[in-house]
Amino acid sequence: MKRAYLDNAATTPILPEVVEAMLPYLRDAYGNPQSLHQWGDEARETIEEARGQVAALIGAQTEEIIFTASGSEANNFAIKGLAQAQQSKGKHIVISAIEHFSVLHSARTLEKWGFEVTEVPVGRHGLVDADEVAKRIREDTILVSIMHANGEVGTIEPIAEIAKATKKTGTLLHTDAVAAAGTIPVDVKELGVDALSLAANQFYGPNGVGALWLKKGTRIIPFVDGGVQEGGRRAGTENVPAIVGMGKAAELAQHDMSSRMTRLSRLRDRLIQGLSSTIDHTILTGHPTQRLPGNASFCIQFIEGEAMLMLLSSKGVAASSGSACTSRALKSSHVLAAMGIPPEIAQGSLLFSFGLENTEGEVDYVLEVLPPIVDRLRQMSPLYAKFLKQQRGGR
Amino acid sequence: MPVYSEKVMEHFMNPHNVGEIENADGIGEVGNPVCGDMMTFYIKVDDNRLSDVKFQTFGCGAAIAVSSIVSEMAKGKTLEEARKITPALVAEELEGLPKNKYHCSNLGAQALNKAIDDYLKKLGKEAKTRRRKKDEGA
Ligand code: FES
């Protein structure tokens, strides 16, 4: 059976070069980077090289990178650590309504700790308006966190503009760049941010490793106590193979960025065009142009996402959905809700996210198998039956 | 995706009794308060027995499998027997459902019950009008 992995937003496959770079550190080079002998020295030098590679990807200085175990950890670290370090100045933070749960729920935790959180709404394309952010910055606002790009709907946010607003008031700005870094050009100086999160599994590196970039001189409360690793801010013996993998993946991403972007956007546009012309009552979610190169996200009306995913999976196609039924908590995506998409339409959420291994043939395969799946589910749907009756002018 | 039993997959991939019954004797429509989904059951009654059952469902894989199995279980049963189809029985018949999908099995039993209610209500009305006509004629 044909197979097509179109769920790169969840995690990208790991590149063979990355695996090669990691292997020695899973085998013979097992030293603890903190040890004072040759084994330790080798491991230490290796992670410092990786640190440099990750820094180069985002235009940062090597010593500003703190390795973490994931993008989610980097977000938790940034939100909680920066807020706590600043709390003598105020206890108010501003985030957008479409942040990843690792930001959103960290903010909820801060609320329990006595902080106040304001959410900035987004427009129907998922865009955060810099003026709307500026309006919500108060005397006691100590931190603003707005994501760089939304992995679910693909919208890329105007971070540099938002940074102008936070600069004026001297408020710290963090951006969750997990979906953006390694995929589109990200430069911390051009963005003008103070902290930025990224994760290796979004750019063909291994799972289980991420990083927080923190502008030199920015105070943060350590995330894990008990050791000197990562400048004493995140203790624990370093995951050397994973860090090496992230470094290699960052180097390749930087080198191949523009050719990758061209490739992915071609696949994305082919699918968006094909799908919009073959399946009616389909909505493209997210911004039409200001979007991630590999993201094609839709709402297919009158049917539900999990049922689509199961039928797609029976055809060998992997995708994802933000429908209530697909979520563990049985709540539909807060991102789609924040964009003003009604719950019954959000139920039809379907996301295809492209990666380097995908081909035009796979896009065409989706365009061949999806329409009958949609048809079949619509034939079963009471909502569709009602819609047809209404159209016929009946009741 | 949740891990579904083979039976659920079977009914999801090839659901039985999909569709609408024209001039159904009873119609039951329920919305799922948990996830916002919808199920409609249509029944045809002959001699106090469900001679035909059909459904339409807007929902997840479990909801579709539940509708299919409920329609199968109900067909040919008397109204009283059909009333005894509980969510637990539905789940059992499907060889189990993931925990967070139990609420989808409630939906099936509810929709069928509502269709029966609808039938009885209409029947009551019909009986009343018949009686009224008789009274008027007398
Ligand atoms: S119908 Fe929504 S979870 Fe089953």
Side-chain angles (χ1 to χ4, degrees), chain A residues 335-358:
Chain A
V335 176
L336 299 176
M339 286 160 52
I341 295 176
E344 71 274 15
I345 292 183
Q347 276 296 68
S349 145
L350 188 60
L351 164 62
F352 297 97
S353 44
F354 292 100
L356 296 178
E357 297 192 343
N358 297 129

Side-chain angles (χ1 to χ4, degrees), chain A residues 302-304 306-307 309-311 313-314 324-325 328 330 344 347 376-377 379-383 385-386 389, chain B residues 1-2 4 9 12-13 15 18 20 29 34-35 37-38 40 56-62 64 100-101 103:
Chain A
F302 313 115
I303 54 178
E304 189 280 323
E306 185 198 284
L309 292 187
M310 287 170 71
L311 290 171
S313 166
S314 77
C325 305
R328 282 237 171 110
L330 295 167
E344 71 274 15
Q347 276 296 68
R376 179 171 163 180
L377 291 172
Q379 291 315 318
M380 260 186 243
S381 163
L383 286 186
K386 274 188 190 164
K389 272 182 202 158
Chain B
M1 248 174 283
Y4 286 131
M9 287 310 286
F12 169 72
M13 293 305 289
V18 176
E20 193 179 331
E29 184 184 294
V34 182
C35 58
D37 293 340
M38 253 176 81
T40 313
Q56 287 172 327
T57 291
F58 165 61
C60 72
I64 290 170
N100 67 343
K101 295 287 180 179
H103 66 107

Side-chain angles (χ1 to χ4, degrees), chain B residues 2 12 16 27 39 53 58 61 99 124:
Chain B
F12 169 72
H16 308 177
I27 300 176
M39 213 179 266
V53 182
F58 165 61
K99 244 214 182 95

